[in-house]
Amino acid sequence: MAAGRAGRGRRPEVASWATDGPNMAAAAASPALKRLDLRDPAALFETHGAEEIRGLERQVRAEIEHKKEELRQMVGERYRDLIEAADTIGQMRRCAEGLVDAVKATDQYCARLRQAGSAASRPPRRPQPQPSQEKFYSMAAQIKLLLEVPEKIWSAMEASQYLHATQLYLLCCHLHSLLQLDSASSRYSPILSRFPILIRQVAAASHFRSAILHESKMLLKGQAMSDQAVADALCSIMLLEESSPRQALTDFLLARKTAIQKLLNQPYHGAGIKAQICSLVELLATTLNQAYALFYTLPEGLLPDPSLPCGLLFSTLETITGQHPTGKGIGVLQEEMKLCSWFKYLPASIVEFQPALRTLAHPISQQYLKDTLQKWIHMCNEDIKNGITNLLMYVKSMKGLAGIRDAMWELLANKSTSHSWDVVCCRLLEKPLLFWEDLMQQLFLDRLQTLTKEGFDSISTSSKELLISALQELGSSTSNTAANKHIHFEQNMSLFLWSESANDLPSDAAWVSVANRGHCAGSGLSMKAQAVSPCVQNFCSALDSKLKVKLDDLLTYLPSGDTSLSKDVTPMQAKNCAFDRYADAGTVQEMLRTHSVACIKHITDCIRAELQSIEEVVQGQQDALDGGNLHMVLFMARLCQSLAELCPHLKQCILGKSGSSEKPARDSRALKKQGKGKAQEVLPMQAQWQEVKELLLRQSVMGYRVWSSAVVKVLAHGFAQSLLLHDAGSILATATSWDELEIQEEAESGSSIMSKIRLPIQPSWYVQSFLFSLCQEINRVGGHALPKVTLQEMLKSCMVQVVAAYEKLSEEKQMKKEGAFPMTQNRALQLLYDLRYLNTVLTTRGEEVKSGRSKQDSRIEKVTDDLEALIDPFDLDVFTPHLNSNLNRLVQRTSVLFGLVTGTENQFTPRSSTFNSQEPHNILPLASSQIRFGLLPLSMTSTRKARSTRSIESKAQAAIH
């Protein structure tokens, strides 16, 4: 057989080399064969030719040979295993047959023994057993019980009946002492010599004590255990360790402290954190409730409350260890083994066995119970704070914190233990235990503070990076190579203002009025009206979207309704609910407000640093208007000017939910109408929002000041160069036409003489070029949206530079350089006319009105006196009235051309209704205003807004100076 198996095992190996070729062909052809249906030969002959049919035949035959070879190899490999399995099965059959024969022989032997015993007991009357025989039966019954107790103990432990297992273990110890099996007398025990198996029983019983103690203490750590189960476990510990109720209280609290630590150290993240914290709260509440139910005893005279049982540990101990009258006791074996035939031979000390404590279980005093529980709460408080702090580190959003808080609130509210919980806390601790207020609230606020700070720090950092990126794009691109349309608009605002785009008007502009349109639904036309460039819009949109995400996340932690409604509901919540979830809403809003203001201050600090660095670079550059530095300055100035308006969520972060609506503003206006003389109370949040707007405006004015000072220096330098030219050709090139007037004078003889005088009616070309360039630069940056403070400072600076140029001219004329063109009366008259014209245009009327009278600067008066000294006094007296008339007429005619320079404050007095008879009647009267077109009616809201803006600008100017 072995040779046959070996032959069969070698056959596939020998034949394998000869079948490699067909196998490979079959393996290659098998996919093609699987795709063909070979069951229908007719279809094959219809679809294939003769050669193809022969090829298919060869493939099929190769596949058949391949399958045969695989079958032969499989049989050869498995044959040896099959033979071994068959041998094993045969051996098992022989062993089983021998075992059956032995059992049959044992059965026959037992049957013969029974027959012999029945024959020996047939005498009808036998004397009663002797006392020695009863003692033998009693000992046999005790040994029988001792052999069965371990199984009973294991069954009780598997059923989690640890108190019953303890009773059985103590009964087993009692049996050891009765049978003298304990360690002291077991060496000389005659029972062990007759029954050696008891040695193993004694060794097995020694492990029950540690196993029962371990399982009982593990049960104390569970939070879903009933009060009775915990009481049974504590009774087991007290009976096994012979401890007191105070030690049982300590064991119970230490077990719960370990359970708290284990619960807090579980590696659960995400949604598991909510379950962990809720389990922690439930464990704390369960611990106090079970401490009351187990250890608290009512004082004398106080009736027990059925809904609040207490003293369960002492009642259980009394039931287990107390002595009862005969027939009423609760023995360990009374219900278990009384049906057994040998039960009647057990002595009374075993039948009525009950465990006993060495010392009496005195009730715990209320003061000791209170002190112990307070110490336990204080010890657990540190673990809870550290554990929850570590758990909350994995919560990355305020929404997650709100979800955990709400789950805790629902857990405590659903327990419906408001009355019983208050009673338990009052009796145990003499004060209420507030889980949220005492343990959790500050931890949640700390985490909220961290998340808010991290969020706004991220917003500040990203805003700074976005600002630097925008400044780099503006600084590196020029007008020739700028491919980005937005950057091109930033460099020349007038191109943006006069360009048309699809989003100039909102899509619902035809059927939705402005009053019903939302605050954030700003159209492109409104952005152009405010001179807000696309780059500024993109920056504000990015910042506002980040603030919206942060605000929406934080609002999940705050009450969803109106704050006034939540305040009204708070007292009811305090009575009917677990705790007030929104008691810290004011703290959270203040936290949000503080970090929002800090974020804006960080952005303004970055802008201030950039402005200071650019200001140092721009100073002294004559080509500053052609570089990219001023574009960056204007971008930052427009950004600070528009940030408060284009970021509505910033306002909502500071003012709260009321900041997103316009109703408070309308209400405040109504209050102002009702009592104008009374001082209105300003809320702190409104004052803080006002400070933020003033801070942004100060930075905006600072940026515009850098731009205006650079523009004024460049333009004033060109003006001074043209003014100080001394050659005759340059003076003639800058001269303009004069007006010829006929005047009537009185001769010495008293007769009237008609004479002609020539007076300037236009300023010099360099004056007009200076003013036009100034207006052009202002219009290029969107002058209609410039702050009034900036325009006033710019005009004042221009006037200072102009006067300085005239002073330098006077100094040079006094030095009388060689080759210089002499100062004629006509040139002095033109210079005087230019100076007075510039003074009239560049000096705002508002400053004169504030001072109470029109007063020229002392420097201007000195220059004017120097120029008038070059004119004949008699001629000056004759020229002055006509010169003033020409000056007024010129100012009014050029007021529209230089409208942004002259401003709306330079209101001139209307012409008199009486006209000079010599004036041609085909000339229309001059307009009483410098505006050609009629003014559009402005709403009262816009007027008030303009006034409030001016007041803010004046405050910003005062703060800067």
Side-chain angles (χ1 to χ4, degrees):
M1 186 178 294
R5 288 199 300 266
R8 292 187 186 95
R10 286 194 300 269
R11 182 178 178 183
E13 297 176 359
V14 174
S16 61
W17 64 270
T19 57
D20 286 343
N23 289 345
M24 295 176 62
S30 57
L33 290 175
K34 291 179 180 179
R35 291 192 297 267
L36 294 175
D37 190 3
L38 302 178
R39 292 175 297 180
D40 190 0
L44 285 176
F45 281 96
E46 290 176 359
T47 56
H48 297 80
E51 293 297 330
E52 293 177 350
I53 294 298
R54 292 189 183 95
L56 290 175
E57 181 184 7
R58 287 192 296 271
Q59 291 177 7
V60 171
R61 293 186 182 278
E63 182 70 18
I64 292 171
E65 292 296 329
H66 176 67
K67 295 297 182 182
K68 287 181 179 179
E69 183 61 28
E70 286 183 354
L71 182 60
R72 285 194 295 270
Q73 290 180 3
M74 183 180 66
V75 171
E77 291 174 356
R78 300 298 180 185
Y79 188 69
R80 186 183 302 274
D81 298 336
L82 183 62
I83 296 301
E84 292 178 355
D87 295 341
T88 304
I89 293 172
Q91 185 178 359
M92 292 173 62
R93 183 186 299 108
R94 290 191 294 272
C95 182
E97 290 175 353
L99 182 62
V100 169
D101 294 340
V103 171
K104 288 181 178 179
T106 304
D107 191 14
Q108 293 174 1
Y109 179 73
C110 292
R112 288 196 299 269
L113 289 178
R114 284 196 295 272
Q115 290 177 1
S118 59
S121 60
R122 282 180 182 176
R125 292 182 181 181
R126 185 180 178 183
Q128 294 294 328
Q130 300 298 324
S132 59
Q133 203 171 12
E134 291 182 0
K135 184 177 181 181
F136 175 76
Y137 289 159
S138 174
M139 186 176 297
Q142 293 178 38
I143 293 174
K144 174 66 175 177
L145 178 62
L146 186 62
L147 293 176
E148 292 189 0
V149 163
E151 184 180 354
K152 301 294 183 181
I153 293 177
W154 285 120
S155 300
M157 291 183 65
E158 289 177 359
S160 299
Q161 298 176 0
Y162 303 118
L163 181 57
H164 186 56
T166 302
Q167 292 175 294
L168 291 174
Y169 169 74
L170 294 177
L171 176 62
C172 185
C173 294
H174 182 62
L175 285 173
H176 288 172
S177 63
L178 290 179
L179 296 176
Q180 298 178 357
L181 301 179
D182 50 354
S183 59
S185 58
S186 60
R187 186 177 302 177
Y188 306 103
S189 175
I191 300 177
L192 289 179
S193 60
R194 295 184 180 181
F195 303 98
I197 194 172
L198 296 180
I199 299 176
R200 188 174 298 176
Q201 292 297 113
V202 173
S206 62
H207 301 290
F208 284 128
R209 182 179 183 276
S210 59
I212 296 173
L213 282 175
H214 176 73
E215 295 296 332
S216 299
K217 291 181 179 180
M218 290 299 296
L219 184 140
L220 295 179
K221 298 177 182 179
Q223 67 183 60
M225 301 301 171
S226 62
D227 297 346
Q228 186 61 52
V230 176
D232 293 346
L234 287 174
C235 289
S236 298
I237 296 172
M238 291 178 65
L239 291 173
L240 293 176
E241 294 183 347
E242 298 180 352
S243 57
S244 63
R246 291 191 175 188
Q247 183 62 37
L249 174 62
T250 304
D251 294 341
F252 172 70
L253 296 179
L254 287 178
R256 290 304 169 91
K257 185 175 184 294
T258 305
I260 291 174
Q261 293 175 347
K262 181 180 178 181
L263 184 62
L264 292 174
N265 293 329
Q266 289 179 355
Y268 293 152
H269 307 320
I273 296 176
K274 182 193 297 184
Q276 282 180 258
I277 295 180
C278 291
S279 299
L280 173 65
V281 173
E282 192 171 4
L283 180 59
L284 290 172
T286 304
T287 300
L288 285 182
N289 284 325
Q290 288 184 347
Y292 176 84
L294 295 174
F295 300 99
Y296 184 80
T297 54
L298 292 174
E300 296 181 0
L302 188 63
L303 296 177
D305 187 1
S307 62
L308 282 176
C310 59
L312 185 59
L313 175 67
F314 303 104
S315 61
T316 304
L317 280 175
E318 185 180 359
T319 303
I320 297 301
T321 62
Q323 298 296 327
H324 298 275
T326 305
K328 298 183 180 179
I330 305 179
V332 179
L333 303 176
Q334 188 172 9
E335 297 295 333
E336 290 188 6
M337 301 180 180
K338 64 180 181 179
L339 300 178
C340 299
S341 59
W342 48 267
F343 181 79
K344 58 185 178 181
Y345 296 107
L346 290 175
S349 61
I350 296 177
V351 174
E352 299 177 359
F353 174 78
Q354 285 185 333
L357 292 173
R358 286 189 176 182
T359 59
L360 295 178
H362 296 288
I364 300 176
S365 64
Q366 296 182 4
Q367 184 65 33
Y368 180 83
L369 185 60
K370 183 188 75 172
D371 296 340
T372 305
L373 288 175
Q374 287 180 351
K375 290 179 182 178
W376 178 79
I377 292 172
H378 180 70
M379 286 192 304
C380 294
N381 196 12
E382 294 299 324
D383 295 336
I384 291 172
K385 286 183 178 180
N386 296 332
I388 291 182
T389 301
N390 295 332
L391 288 177
L392 293 181
M393 291 293 293
Y394 298 100
V395 181
K396 301 298 183 181
S397 65
M398 287 81 162
K399 185 177 181 181
L401 290 176
I404 296 174
R405 179 201 61 189
D406 295 343
M408 189 190 313
W409 182 84
E410 291 175 0
L411 174 66
L412 295 177
N414 291 336
K415 280 183 172 297
S416 65
T417 57
S418 58
H419 173 68
S420 60
W421 178 252
D422 294 339
V423 173
V424 168
C425 292
C426 182
R427 292 181 179 178
L428 289 179
L429 306 174
E430 297 182 356
K431 63 178 182 179
L433 178 61
L434 306 175
F435 292 111
W436 174 251
E437 291 82 351
D438 295 342
L439 301 177
M440 307 291 183
Q441 186 175 20
Q442 189 58 43
L443 302 179
F444 276 66
L445 286 178
D446 293 342
R447 182 57 182 166
L448 200 66
Q449 172 83 10
T450 303
L451 290 176
T452 307
K453 185 178 183 302
E454 290 176 354
F456 278 96
D457 288 347
S458 175
I459 293 175
S460 302
T461 304
S462 61
S463 300
K464 182 180 179 181
E465 294 174 355
L466 185 61
L467 175 66
I468 294 175
S469 175
L471 293 180
Q472 289 176 351
E473 291 181 0
L474 291 173
S476 62
S477 59
T478 60
S479 58
N480 296 328
T481 61
N484 193 341
K485 182 173 64 175
H486 290 175
I487 296 178
H488 199 51
F489 286 160
E490 194 70 36
Q491 296 172 355
N492 192 349
M493 181 60 67
S494 59
L495 296 178
F496 171 65
L497 297 178
W498 296 106
S499 64
E500 293 185 359
S501 60
N503 60 346
D504 280 346
L505 290 177
S507 58
D508 56 353
W511 54 84
V512 178
S513 62
V514 178
N516 296 330
R517 191 171 294 126
H519 176 73
C520 299
S523 62
L525 198 59
S526 64
M527 295 295 101
K528 293 178 181 178
Q530 301 175 31
V532 180
S533 62
C535 292
V536 174
Q537 295 180 38
N538 294 336
F539 185 95
C540 294
S541 176
L543 177 60
D544 190 60
S545 62
K546 295 173 185 175
L547 290 174
K548 181 181 183 300
V549 172
K550 198 66 186 174
L551 183 63
D552 292 344
D553 188 21
L554 190 60
L555 287 179
T556 58
Y557 199 84
L558 298 175
S560 58
D562 192 6
T563 55
S564 61
L565 295 177
S566 64
K567 290 180 180 178
D568 294 339
V569 179
T570 298
M572 296 300 296
Q573 287 182 346
K575 293 182 179 180
N576 300 330
C577 299
F579 57 87
D580 185 7
R581 291 180 287 178
Y582 307 118
D584 52 2
T587 305
V588 176
Q589 290 179 351
E590 182 63 28
M591 189 187 306
L592 172 64
R593 191 176 303 115
T594 302
H595 287 289
S596 301
V597 173
C599 178
I600 295 301
K601 286 184 178 178
H602 179 77
I603 296 175
T604 53
D605 290 341
C606 298
I607 292 176
R608 184 187 301 109
E610 295 291 337
L611 288 176
Q612 290 175 354
S613 62
I614 294 175
E615 186 177 9
E616 295 174 357
V617 174
V618 170
Q619 285 180 352
Q621 289 185 354
Q622 295 301 324
D623 57 345
L625 299 182
D626 298 330
N629 289 326
L630 290 186
H631 302 323
M632 294 188 288
V633 170
L634 289 171
F635 167 74
M636 289 184 285
R638 295 187 189 110
L639 178 62
C640 293
Q641 188 180 15
S642 308
L643 201 60
E645 292 294 331
L646 297 185
C647 294
H649 291 94
L650 173 63
K651 183 178 181 181
Q652 192 174 354
C653 286
I654 297 177
L655 292 182
K657 293 186 178 180
S658 60
S660 60
S661 62
E662 297 296 331
K663 292 182 179 179
R666 296 176 182 175
D667 296 341
S668 62
R669 296 187 194 117
L671 290 175
K672 288 181 180 179
K673 288 183 179 180
Q674 292 177 3
K676 287 188 176 181
K678 301 177 181 178
Q680 298 294 329
E681 182 181 357
V682 180
L683 297 177
M685 60 185 69
Q686 295 176 349
Q688 206 162 11
W689 171 243
Q690 198 71 14
E691 291 177 2
V692 170
K693 291 200 296 185
E694 291 177 2
L695 173 64
L696 292 173
L697 186 59
R698 282 198 299 270
Q699 294 303 314
S700 176
V701 171
M702 179 181 175
Y704 281 123
R705 182 180 292 111
V706 175
W707 164 79
S708 63
S709 61
V711 170
V712 169
K713 285 182 181 179
V714 173
L715 297 181
H717 179 72
F719 173 81
Q721 283 183 342
S722 301
L723 178 64
L724 298 177
L725 293 176
H726 301 292
D727 56 305
S730 299
I731 295 174
L732 290 176
T734 58
T736 55
S737 61
W738 286 34
D739 189 17
E740 185 176 341
L741 297 176
E742 291 185 359
I743 61 173
Q744 185 177 0
E745 297 179 328
E746 185 177 354
E748 295 179 357
S749 61
S751 61
S752 59
I753 301 174
M754 300 296 294
S755 60
K756 293 183 178 181
I757 59 174
R758 293 174 59 82
L759 294 175
I761 60 173
Q762 290 183 0
S764 301
W765 287 120
Y766 56 84
V767 174
Q768 298 184 42
S769 177
F770 171 71
L771 292 176
F772 182 76
S773 299
L774 181 62
C775 288
Q776 196 174 20
E777 292 297 329
I778 294 175
N779 286 322
R780 184 178 288 115
V781 300
H784 63 282
L786 286 177
K788 180 183 175 182
V789 178
T790 301
L791 285 175
Q792 290 178 351
E793 290 181 353
M794 194 172 188
L795 297 180
K796 187 176 180 180
S797 179
C798 287
M799 195 62 206
V800 171
Q801 297 292 334
V802 167
V803 173
Y806 274 94
E807 289 177 346
K808 189 173 182 180
L809 177 64
S810 300
E811 293 175 359
E812 292 180 356
K813 291 303 178 183
Q814 291 176 0
M815 294 174 62
K816 296 182 179 180
K817 292 183 179 181
E818 295 182 0
F821 190 79
M823 180 66 71
T824 61
Q825 178 174 326
N826 286 341
R827 187 183 178 197
L829 193 60
Q830 181 67 50
L831 291 174
L832 180 62
Y833 185 79
D834 292 344
L835 179 60
R836 293 183 62 186
Y837 174 68
L838 286 172
N839 185 30
T840 304
V841 172
L842 297 179
T843 303
T844 57
R845 190 74 176 175
E847 296 178 358
E848 298 175 355
V849 172
K850 289 179 182 178
S851 62
R853 58 189 180 91
S854 179
K855 181 180 180 181
Q856 290 184 337
D857 190 79
S858 59
R859 296 174 60 191
I860 301 177
E861 291 180 356
K862 185 178 182 302
V863 175
T864 303
D865 293 340
D866 293 342
L867 292 176
E868 289 179 351
L870 300 174
I871 305 173
D872 182 76
F874 176 76
D875 291 342
L876 184 61
D877 293 338
V878 175
F879 293 160
T880 298
H882 302 285
L883 199 65
N884 291 336
S885 177
N886 289 345
L887 183 63
N888 290 335
R889 186 178 292 108
L890 174 66
V891 171
Q892 292 189 20
R893 287 174 178 173
T894 58
S895 60
V896 175
L897 180 63
F898 305 136
L900 287 175
V901 174
T902 57
T904 58
E905 291 85 3
N906 290 333
Q907 302 290 341
F908 297 96
T909 58
R911 286 174 53 90
S912 175
S913 58
T914 61
F915 300 101
N916 190 356
S917 60
Q918 297 179 358
E919 186 174 359
H921 293 284
N922 59 349
I923 297 177
L924 293 176
L926 295 177
S928 60
S929 174
Q930 76 274 26
I931 305 299
R932 292 185 179 180
F933 304 102
L935 295 175
L936 295 175
L938 299 177
S939 64
M940 296 302 292
T941 305
S942 302
T943 305
R944 291 192 182 96
K945 185 176 181 182
R947 291 176 181 173
S948 63
T949 306
R950 291 171 185 170
S951 64
I952 294 176
E953 290 176 358
S954 62
K955 291 180 182 178
Q957 185 180 11
I960 292 173
H961 292 301

